[in-house]
Amino acid sequence: MAIVGGGGLYMSQRLTIAWRAVSQRMIVTILAAVVVMVGGVHTAKASAATQAYGFSLGGEMVTPDWTSPAKLAALTGVLKSFGPKYVRVEISTNEPPAAQAAAIDAVRASGATPLVLLASLTPAFTPTVPDPTDFADFAKSVAQRFGSQVGYYEILNEQNVGLNWSGLPASPPDPVGYAKVLVAASAAIKAANPSAKILSSSPAPAADAIASESPQTWTDRVWSQPGVPEAVDIVGAHVYWMDYTTGTLRPPDTEEPSGFDAVASMKASTGKPVWVTETGFSTCVGSDNCTTEANQLAYLQSAMRLFADQGAASVVMIFRPVDQSPVNDREARFGVVHYDGTDKTAAPWVRTLMSGTGTGSGSGSIAGIFGS
């Protein structure tokens, strides 16, 4: 902004000289127009890209530790302190209804709107291929129980990776099979709650290979199946800057594979809004895409600015508000709050991002958060 603003001042001086004989009112009008056209380009873009923000909870909500009344109350308190607009909660075929209800109650008590990720899991909590009819019955039962308390449902997670479809390593993804589950589940949910919005499975950042498909390839193949465009209201996406081969985390950029460019391309190809239901950086220690707390803050700032400048995502959710456990593990350490409830370095900035004007609305404007 400093460079652009400087250019605006230079042009203003030139206009003042060229139009010295013009009335003061005319000069003011011209200068205002120059500032908007030259100095206001980035600010206008950021304002147009105002997004809603939230958190995505991981698999911790299916463990006894996290579903205890004390832990759920603590989670509600943490969420209240940030003011997210949305919180994504996993509900699987392997959880008792009481546990499902407790998790949703904790999110709603914080003032956030829950997005339910419906998952098909074995008793050992590993993915399993769902039968379209059986999964639709499960989805309908969940929607009937929650009624108007839940208005958003995502159908399965990262299905562009074969492991997440079948639970078997090196198995290929199945866009045709997934589409059947998606269409059946969408119809069942909307039969129980006609106002519910359906998200397609958020694809993981991946390349086209035997056991995976890139987000855009996956989306194109799913979208070509009968009934899918009508069944889906919102397209899900995951964006991470991790290298699973080398274990080296890179700062946010527009390069693939990260899923970032796919956000814009999936929006264009489907004509639907896109929600980034997971992004973030783990503060684990080691060589498994780990980083420091200081870098977590810097990377989150860079990532959110990239999303704002791109302007394609309507909602961006940070993976985990709180670390899943004190164990030094990549998946467990994505939180912006430590497992013991103390803030990490990024927490104050994330509160500012999510609260926007400080009202806890969960819709923050990028302008004023990043400075110049």
Side-chain angles (χ1 to χ4, degrees):
M1 287 180 68
I3 295 175
V4 175
L9 180 59
Y10 175 66
M11 291 186 70
S12 299
Q13 291 170 337
R14 292 178 62 187
L15 284 168
T16 302
I17 294 171
W19 294 82
R20 191 177 298 277
V22 184
S23 67
Q24 183 67 30
R25 176 184 291 272
M26 182 65 75
I27 292 174
V28 170
T29 302
I30 293 172
L31 290 177
V34 170
V35 169
V36 169
M37 289 187 295
V38 179
V41 172
H42 189 83
T43 301
K45 189 173 184 181
S47 297
T50 298
Q51 294 159 324
Y53 298 98
F55 284 117
S56 180
L57 299 173
E60 63 264 27
M61 300 313 297
V62 302
T63 62
D65 175 37
W66 276 89
T67 54
S68 69
K71 196 68 175 182
L72 289 172
L75 176 63
T76 297
V78 169
L79 293 175
K80 278 185 177 180
S81 78
F82 283 92
K85 187 171 181 63
Y86 300 99
V87 174
R88 182 174 178 247
V89 182
E90 179 178 318
I91 287 180
S92 80
T93 54
N94 198 35
E95 295 158 33
Q100 298 172 8
I104 296 300
D105 287 346
V107 170
R108 295 184 70 245
S110 75
T113 297
L115 158 63
V116 166
L117 167 63
L118 294 175
S120 177
L121 302 178
T122 69
F125 293 103
T126 59
T128 181
V129 177
D131 174 80
T133 300
D134 291 345
F135 194 80
D137 289 343
F138 160 69
K140 185 175 183 178
S141 70
V142 173
Q144 286 175 329
R145 282 200 306 274
F146 290 119
S148 61
Q149 295 180 3
V150 175
Y152 298 89
Y153 291 90
E154 181 178 355
I155 312 303
L156 303 177
N157 186 55
E158 295 187 341
Q159 293 298 294
N160 65 317
V161 176
L163 176 65
N164 294 328
W165 170 251
S166 67
L168 302 175
S171 62
D174 185 356
V176 176
Y178 170 71
K180 293 177 181 178
V181 174
L182 172 60
V183 171
S186 175
I189 291 168
K190 292 192 174 187
N193 180 2
S195 63
K197 302 298 182 184
I198 305 301
L199 279 75
S200 55
S201 174
S202 300
D208 290 317
I210 294 175
S212 65
E213 293 180 354
S214 68
Q216 187 59 63
T217 297
W218 168 260
T219 300
D220 290 343
R221 294 187 67 191
V222 171
W223 222 255
S224 68
Q225 300 304 307
V228 169
E230 298 78 18
V232 176
D233 300 292
I234 301 165
V235 177
H238 286 176
V239 179
Y240 288 106
W241 286 269
M242 295 187 286
D243 188 321
Y244 298 98
T245 301
T246 66
T248 302
L249 180 71
R250 71 180 194 270
D253 55 30
T254 60
E255 302 299 318
E256 295 296 339
S258 66
F260 177 78
D261 280 347
V263 174
S265 63
M266 290 191 299
K267 180 180 181 180
S269 65
T270 64
K272 302 282 186 176
V274 177
W275 286 18
V276 176
T277 60
E278 285 185 24
T279 192
F281 307 91
S282 177
T283 60
C284 55
V285 178
S287 58
D288 187 13
N289 292 285
C290 303
T291 194
T292 64
E293 287 190 27
N295 279 344
Q296 184 190 49
L297 168 60
Y299 291 172
L300 282 171
Q301 290 174 326
S302 296
M304 296 306 165
R305 186 157 206 165
L306 284 174
F307 287 125
D309 286 346
Q310 183 191 56
S314 303
V315 175
V316 179
M317 299 184 183
I318 296 173
F319 185 54
R320 297 198 194 286
V322 184
D323 283 350
Q324 181 179 8
S325 78
V327 175
N328 182 37
D329 173 78
R330 185 191 70 208
E331 287 296 303
R333 295 286 190 91
F334 272 91
V336 293
V337 173
H338 292 286
Y339 181 75
D340 65 5
T342 58
D343 281 356
K344 294 185 185 179
T345 303
W349 183 84
V350 174
R351 287 193 180 93
T352 300
L353 176 75
M354 290 192 175
S355 65
T357 59
T359 61
S361 65
S363 298
S365 173
I366 293 297
I369 294 178
F370 294 97
S372 60

